[in-house]
Amino acid sequence: MPWNPEQYLAFGDLRLRPALELMARIPTQEPQRIADLGCGPGHITALLAERWPTAEVTGIDQSRPMLDRAAADFPVLSWVEADLAAWRPAEPQDLIFSNAALHWLDDHPRLFRDLVAHLAPGGTLAVQMPNNFAAPSHRCAYAAAAAGPWSERLAPLLRPEPLLAPQDYYALLAPLCGQLEIWQTEYLQVIDGENPVADWTRTSLLVPLLEALPLAWQAEFEAEYRARVAAAYPKTDDGRTLFPFRRLFMIARR
Ligand SMILES: C[S@@+](CC[C@H](N)C(=O)[O-])C[C@H]1O[C@@H](n2cnc3c(N)ncnc32)[C@H](O)[C@@H]1O
């Protein structure tokens, strides 16, 4: 199952809020060049272009379906298909923005050093990443992946936690940046549906796992996952589901 823009946008409000909170803290006044890394369906890239209408704004992603959706909805912006692990901008950027994408990449010390090196002097790196890897939503995926005939196929895809501790990002970025702000927020998300946490993760964490399985196993693995998640997130008295979700934010100015 590849990235699916329609399903991803289903929890639009809850996924948009951290991007807006990140944008609100960006100090850069008049960026000329802006890159949105892991832009997905492009709706946040479009908000960057709205806030800085004179800037040249490019969304970068490796998913063709996501970029097709972005280009259809926002044809005036630039969309580039690339793997962020190998991305090198042609020109230094005044703002490198990334919402909910860099946790898909490994080796953060190298990644973040490279990103700062791609900034123009005075440029800003603004990043938000989910930091919820120890939550039941994730632990259930790892447990379900180990609990069936698909375990060998999925084992290489079960990545160790990709994020560093906040203080380790500080140690990495402080010597490279004039200004640095790092914070974490845990949102107590209230969501609706029969098994809404499983619906949420099937459009993010589960994407590469489902993609690696033949169709017959996809359904079985997902059923195994959904049963575990439903038990881990029981409904509240009002029939809704609480899904606590922690996110790490960073603004680094070169
Ligand atoms: C959770 S979505 C976030 C989309 C958008 N930034 C947002 O906040 O709505 C993560 C995106 O990162 C992209 N992505 C993941 N790993 C990537 C990589 N190595 N190179 C480029 N894009 C990647 C995925 O294709 C997906 O569109």
Side-chain angles (χ1 to χ4, degrees), residues 14 32 39 45 47 63 66 70 89 95 123 128-129 134 147 152 165 171 181 199 224 229 232 235 244 253:
L14 292 172
Q32 288 309 297
C39 61
T45 325
L47 293 177
S63 157
M66 285 293 202
L95 171 60
Q128 181 277 118
M129 295 178 286
E152 244 175 70
E181 193 180 358
D199 295 339
E224 175 74 37
V229 168
K235 294 237 182 335
R253 192 160 191 203

Side-chain angles (χ1 to χ4, degrees), residues 29-81:
Q29 297 298 318
E30 296 290 337
Q32 288 309 297
R33 292 194 186 86
I34 301 178
D36 181 10
L37 305 186
C39 61
H43 57 301
I44 293 167
T45 325
L47 293 177
L48 295 169
E50 227 171 73
R51 171 157 168 201
W52 291 288
T54 59
E56 196 182 289
V57 181
T58 306
I60 297 116
D61 206 287
Q62 69 179 3
S63 157
R64 199 61 256 169
M66 285 293 202
L67 288 175
D68 287 345
R69 172 70 188 255
D73 286 356
F74 310 105
V76 296
L77 302 180
S78 301
W79 307 104
V80 171
E81 187 174 345

Side-chain angles (χ1 to χ4, degrees), residues 82-224:
D83 180 353
L84 296 175
W87 175 72
R88 304 277 173 275
E91 310 275 355
Q93 302 292 299
D94 300 304
L95 171 60
I96 297 179
F97 181 91
S98 184
N99 186 63
L102 296 183
H103 59 296
W104 288 106
L105 283 91
D106 297 319
D107 194 359
H108 278 202
R110 186 196 62 76
L111 174 69
F112 278 78
R113 263 194 291 271
D114 283 356
L115 292 178
V116 170
H118 296 325
L119 290 173
T124 300
L125 172 66
V127 174
Q128 181 277 118
M129 295 178 286
N131 195 5
N132 219 32
F133 302 94
S137 54
H138 280 58
R139 282 194 272 109
C140 289
Y142 281 50
W150 45 75
S151 62
E152 244 175 70
R153 186 80 66 96
L154 295 184
L157 299 174
L158 302 178
R159 303 164 62 222
E161 277 195 27
L163 265 64
L164 308 178
Q167 55 273 29
D168 293 336
Y169 286 109
Y170 182 86
L172 180 71
L173 294 173
L176 308 174
C177 300
Q179 265 174 266
L180 180 58
E181 193 180 358
I182 300 178
W183 72 102
Q184 290 200 96
T185 301
E186 184 170 294
Y187 300 86
L188 184 62
Q189 301 185 142
V190 184
I191 50 181
D192 293 312
E194 173 263 326
N195 192 347
V197 175
D199 295 339
W200 175 291
T201 36
R202 94 180 297 275
T203 61
S204 50
L205 171 73
L206 252 48
V207 171
L209 304 181
L210 291 170
E211 210 171 16
L213 295 178
L215 272 182
W217 276 358
Q218 279 186 17
E220 258 186 89
F221 165 67
E222 199 176 352
E224 175 74 37

